[in-house]
Amino acid sequence: MSTEHFTELGYELIANVIPSAACDVALENVSQLAVAKAGSRSLLQLPWCQRLAETLRSHVKIAPLLGASTTAVQCTLFEKSAEKNWGVSVHQDIGIPVRARVDATECSGWAVKEGVLHTQPPAAVLESLVAIRLHLDACPADAGPLRVIPRSHCSGRLNDGEIERLRETTAEVVCAADRGAALLMRPLLLHASTRIHGGGNRRVLHFLFGPPHLPFGLHWHTTV
Ligand SMILES: O=C(O)CCC(=O)C(=O)O
């Protein structure tokens, strides 16, 4: 496992982060949630989710890639199945969950999602974040995996023209994953998600880790 690979390409797939039995326990907890749409963003307040965040943070292969981003600040369930099928086009993740609005011209795009205030901070803040996508089901190529554009996290926030150019010039990588694997990615890495084509479920817990403190008087909405 090399830090260089993650730094250069913007993503890293790590197998066997949690055992199958731990996936079963997480799925049992997930099944108790009332998740109306594709995702539920507010799982980090639940003790079982906080324990998973700690497992990820202290994992021997993950800890070196987190750098100063040791604080879990959000966990979203992304669930796909034949009944709940969806895809998303290529994008960067540019919103972060915060406690209160601040009067800073550097921050834009204020919006409330599932009752939580989000803002779009400058690229320097987004570049420090790490997303960890924990796969609770096996996710082969036909089960709606993430597709990423390697190295696309290196140029800050991209406009539509820049995204189009990168799509034309750089081959996508399909991030198929085994059960219990974790896909680490920089939120600025261009990514898309395919609809599920086989049967079964594709449930992913998408954690966001950041530095404990934010600039501009911002505070994270939740920290674990
Ligand atoms: O889980 C997925 O397949 C898509 C997630 C996504 O698009 C995102 O995290 O922005």
Side-chain angles (χ1 to χ4, degrees):
M1 195 58 44
S2 77
T3 323
E4 290 75 29
H5 181 277
F6 181 58
T7 304
E8 189 188 329
L9 300 185
Y11 71 98
E12 181 84 59
L13 184 65
I14 302 178
N16 299 318
V17 168
I18 62 169
S20 192
C23 292
D24 287 337
V25 172
L27 286 175
E28 178 57 32
N29 286 315
V30 160
S31 72
Q32 324 255 325
L33 302 168
V35 181
K37 289 182 274 158
S40 168
R41 296 170 200 270
S42 314
L43 307 191
L44 206 48
Q45 47 198 282
L46 304 171
W48 63 265
C49 191
Q50 296 173 357
R51 286 193 292 274
L52 276 177
E54 179 50 31
T55 299
L56 297 176
R57 176 177 28 233
S58 55
H59 188 276
V60 64
K61 290 184 180 169
I62 294 178
L65 304 184
L66 287 177
S69 280
T70 52
T71 305
V73 298
Q74 191 172 45
C75 178
T76 306
L77 170 69
F78 286 119
E79 181 170 16
K80 282 186 204 180
S81 62
E83 299 76 43
K84 206 188 270 185
N85 211 349
W86 49 277
V88 276
S89 56
V90 175
H91 65 282
Q92 299 177 302
D93 289 341
I94 53 176
I96 59 169
V98 293
R99 205 185 297 160
R101 194 171 174 131
V102 296
D103 192 12
T105 51
E106 293 88 347
C107 299
S108 60
W110 298 94
V112 177
K113 299 176 189 170
E114 292 187 24
V116 175
L117 182 64
H118 285 67
T119 190
Q120 297 172 7
V125 174
L126 298 170
E127 279 161 1
S128 70
L129 311 181
V130 180
I132 305 182
R133 294 170 55 85
L134 184 61
H135 284 265
L136 303 182
D137 300 295
C139 182
D142 64 354
L146 217 64
R147 308 186 323 266
V148 303
I149 300 187
R151 298 184 177 82
S152 54
H153 63 300
C154 295
S155 311
R157 285 179 59 173
L158 302 167
N159 63 33
D160 289 349
E162 291 165 331
I163 293 176
E164 212 35 58
R165 251 191 314 285
L166 277 168
R167 290 188 63 193
E168 281 164 14
T169 53
T170 315
E172 283 183 352
V173 174
V174 176
C175 297
D178 289 334
R179 190 173 201 227
L183 176 67
L184 272 67
M185 60 175 260
R186 293 290 185 191
L188 285 180
L189 187 76
L190 284 173
H191 58 286
S193 185
T194 311
R195 285 168 65 86
I196 207 164
H197 294 298
N201 293 297
R202 196 232 57 179
R203 287 158 293 191
V204 169
L205 290 172
H206 182 119
F207 289 84
L208 183 63
F209 282 78
H213 303 291
L214 288 167
F216 315 118
L218 289 168
H219 295 279
W220 292 112
H221 178 270
T222 307
T223 54
V224 169

